[in-house]
Amino acid sequence: MFVALQLIGVGLMVGGTGYLVDSVQVFALPEGATLEAVKVALLMVVTAAELSFALMLILRGPRPSTPHAVQG
């Protein structure tokens, strides 16, 4: 499970680069076809990572609460 969490984290970081490329590409090279392809690939990675993260949170559920001792 730990390796899966690491892969999701790496996917989110790589995909964050896609968001950055998307923002810069609009201003720097609005008609750059190569940069457009890179942007789409990175955004596909972040989409898969975000969906995996959401699914993991849904399937894993909340942590069980531990009762705290009341000291008086």
Side-chain angles (χ1 to χ4, degrees), residues 31-55:
E31 297 171 5
T34 304
L35 196 56
E36 183 74 25
V38 170
K39 177 182 78 169
V40 168
L42 290 173
L43 291 177
M44 286 180 10
V45 169
V46 77
T47 300
E50 287 176 351
L51 290 174
S52 299
F53 183 64
L55 186 63

Side-chain angles (χ1 to χ4, degrees), residues 4 21 26 30 34 37 40 47-48 51 54 56 60 68-69:
V21 169
V26 171
T34 304
V40 168
T47 300
L51 290 174
M56 187 239 357
R60 191 172 177 195
H68 297 281

Side-chain angles (χ1 to χ4, degrees), residues 13-38:
M13 287 189 291
V14 169
T17 307
Y19 288 133
L20 179 65
V21 169
D22 184 34
S23 299
V24 170
Q25 189 247 343
V26 171
F27 299 109
L29 299 167
E31 297 171 5
T34 304
L35 196 56
E36 183 74 25
V38 170

